[in-house]
Amino acid sequence: MSMLVLFLGFCVLSLAGVPIYAGLGLASILYLLVSNPDFIVMLPQRVWSGLDSYMMIALPLFILAGELMNRGGITQRIIDFSLHVVRPIKGGLGEVCVVASMVFGGISGSSVADASAIGSVMIPAMEKKGFSKRYATGLVVAASTMGMIIPPSIPMVTYSMVSGASIGDLFMAGLVPGVMIGLFQLVALFFYKRTNKLHLLEQAIEHRHGFWKTGREGLLALIMPLLIIGTISFGVATASESASIAVLYSLIIGFFVFKELRLKDLPEVLEKTFITSSSVMIIIGFSMIFGWVMAMEKVPNTIAMFFMTMEVSRFWVLMILVVFILFIGTFLDVTPALLLVTPIMIPVLRHYGIDEVQFGAIMIVGTAVGLVSPPLGMCLNAGNKISGLPIWDIFTAALPFLICDVIVLLLVTYVPEVSLTVPRLLGGH
């Protein structure tokens, strides 16, 4: 009865539009009032214990580094660099959009930031060159899913805190799936253009600089993810220290190389970082209460025992997991989805020989699809704000490219080498 109060309370509060953190906290309080009111005094301690982690330092620092790079003029330079990259294959704005998202994903660590930054430049540019606004917006939001998969990844930091998996291994596990999504989307774009006769509209966008200047500035942007990944993977720095290095690098590039970052920009940058970090941290804190309650009721162990006693094969357990992740992504954002699903499913997957790193890759790729799933997909909403188009129109335009994400999700799920090869090569897993 008490567990029914917990889950029904959370569902009702979420459907009523209550913020996720409040829904988690209030549902947990309702449960404790019904089952054991004496435990309510422990709630502040449980919230604080969820935030009292050295790993939490990395979260706002990665967000700050991304904000500094965005404000420092990196977005336009990434687009210019991407134009030169796709030129040998006679690419147009569609290919530029996908390649730019791949590069930008290695800087921001956030798909929503990717959709907002790339979309604000590419959607008007593609529309100006004859592409429909619907097509341009759909491609942008679908390509933005790479932002949280290609390392560094802010959601992977959150997952690492919950699962205990190595953040370096997780970053490496997302590299191949993220790049595969980009390559598959380029292939889908090629056939989509031929089918819809869009090749006649392909025109190059104007670029401001020559090849060498554009290439040099693009490589300066690429150094940042390599710096983060290299220092963590080879044990030079922890995730928090690596994030600090990324902030310092962003400041140097913005102030002294590109010279587009100004002292007057810093208050707004810090404000955005504070708001974004706080929204994530408060969800993490209150989700710890929810997780604590489920642990007391032994929900993860019960689910694990259910699958064991049913003797469900590994194939079907993984298929159930994939469907569940895609379903939950339609009404939960990435962070609460990670925090709710991870502690429940890890015991089950351990029984079937699936470790935390592969599961992390499955969760990250799966929840990235949810960012483009109506009605609450954050990337869909970012595209809606930029283009003004209805969310459903954007989703239908993005669907041909979103299928690429689902294909990669299935590969990551059933072919462990897709996510684990790079961590193993680097000796971390």
Side-chain angles (χ1 to χ4, degrees):
M1 176 63 183
S2 54
M3 288 304 297
L4 188 63
V5 170
L6 178 71
F7 286 106
L8 281 181
F10 175 68
C11 292
V12 170
L13 290 168
S14 298
L15 292 173
V18 175
I20 291 294
Y21 73 90
L24 292 169
L26 290 173
S28 301
I29 291 172
L30 287 173
Y31 163 84
L32 292 175
L33 287 173
V34 172
S35 63
N36 197 333
D38 294 338
F39 281 6
I40 290 181
V41 297
M42 298 178 64
L43 294 184
Q45 178 190 6
R46 302 309 305 182
V47 172
W48 176 251
S49 66
L51 301 175
D52 187 18
S53 168
Y54 183 72
M55 184 66 69
M56 285 299 294
I57 301 173
L59 188 65
L61 288 175
F62 277 128
I63 294 172
L64 176 58
E67 289 289 346
L68 289 170
M69 293 294 277
N70 294 348
R71 186 56 63 95
I74 194 67
T75 303
Q76 184 61 55
R77 286 170 174 82
I78 287 174
I79 291 173
D80 290 343
F81 176 74
S82 302
L83 174 63
H84 285 289
V85 169
V86 303
R87 180 172 289 178
I89 59 173
K90 299 180 180 180
L93 292 186
E95 286 81 359
V96 170
C97 179
V98 175
V99 174
S101 291
M102 292 175 70
V103 178
F104 196 86
I107 294 173
S108 69
S110 166
S111 291
V112 179
D114 190 334
S116 300
I118 299 296
S120 61
V121 177
M122 290 303 301
I123 292 174
M126 293 177 74
E127 191 177 9
K128 180 181 176 182
K129 294 299 181 181
F131 291 89
S132 71
K133 183 184 289 188
R134 178 178 172 274
Y135 167 82
T137 309
L139 180 59
V140 165
V141 299
S144 70
T145 55
M146 291 180 281
M148 61 175 272
I149 302 172
I150 295 176
S153 166
I154 293 171
M156 282 183 180
V157 177
T158 303
Y159 174 83
S160 175
M161 291 176 52
V162 181
S163 66
S166 163
I167 186 64
D169 288 348
L170 288 169
F171 278 0
M172 291 298 95
L175 182 60
V176 172
V179 173
M180 286 178 66
I181 288 174
L183 295 177
F184 284 6
Q185 287 186 350
L186 287 173
V187 173
L189 180 61
F190 172 77
F191 287 106
Y192 186 81
K193 288 192 303 180
R194 290 190 62 179
T195 303
N196 295 273
K197 300 181 179 180
L198 293 174
H199 60 283
L200 299 176
L201 300 174
E202 294 293 330
Q203 301 178 48
I205 58 174
E206 297 85 0
H207 51 93
R208 302 172 299 167
H209 308 301
F211 173 77
W212 293 111
K213 182 175 178 62
T214 302
R216 184 174 68 252
E217 292 181 344
L219 289 175
L220 285 173
L222 288 172
I223 287 175
M224 181 172 162
L226 294 176
L227 193 66
I228 295 170
I229 296 167
T231 54
I232 294 177
S233 300
F234 294 104
V236 177
T238 64
S240 301
E241 293 165 347
S242 179
S244 302
I245 295 171
V247 171
L248 179 61
Y249 182 79
S250 303
L251 288 169
I252 293 172
I253 292 295
F255 277 123
F256 304 111
V257 180
F258 296 160
K259 298 180 180 179
E260 293 191 17
L261 189 62
R262 301 286 185 267
L263 285 174
K264 65 180 182 180
D265 297 328
L266 293 183
E268 184 179 351
V269 168
L270 292 172
E271 180 185 0
K272 286 186 176 180
T273 301
F274 176 79
I275 293 173
T276 304
S277 303
S278 299
S279 63
V280 174
M281 287 181 173
I282 196 170
I283 293 173
I284 291 174
F286 279 90
S287 69
M288 291 302 171
I289 304 174
F290 203 82
W292 171 55
V293 168
M294 289 195 296
M296 285 196 302
E297 291 287 344
K298 298 182 179 179
V299 173
N301 293 334
T302 302
I303 294 176
M305 289 301 298
F306 169 76
F307 280 104
M308 293 175 198
T309 54
M310 290 289 291
E311 297 183 356
V312 181
S313 69
R314 175 190 171 106
F315 176 89
W316 288 110
V317 168
L318 290 172
M319 182 57 66
I320 292 169
L321 175 65
V322 167
V323 173
F324 180 61
I325 292 172
L326 293 176
F327 169 73
I328 203 171
T330 62
F331 62 89
L332 281 183
D333 196 14
V334 173
T335 299
L338 290 173
L339 294 171
L340 292 175
V341 176
T342 300
I344 294 175
M345 292 303 300
I346 277 185
V348 178
L349 297 177
R350 280 177 181 160
H351 174 72
Y352 288 92
I354 300 164
D355 65 18
E356 291 87 347
V357 174
Q358 185 188 357
F359 179 44
I362 295 171
M363 284 295 301
I364 297 300
V365 176
T367 52
V369 176
L371 291 174
V372 194
S373 302
L376 301 179
M378 296 299 291
C379 290
L380 274 182
N381 283 279
N384 165 261
K385 290 178 181 178
I386 295 170
S387 66
L389 294 174
I391 285 177
W392 184 254
D393 287 354
I394 300 172
F395 172 71
T396 53
L399 191 56
F401 309 105
L402 198 59
I403 291 172
C404 300
D405 293 57
V406 177
I407 293 172
V408 172
L409 173 60
L410 293 173
L411 288 173
V412 170
T413 303
Y414 290 105
V415 186
E417 289 74 16
V418 173
S419 57
L420 299 181
T421 296
V422 177
R424 286 169 178 167
L425 288 174
L426 295 176
H429 190 69

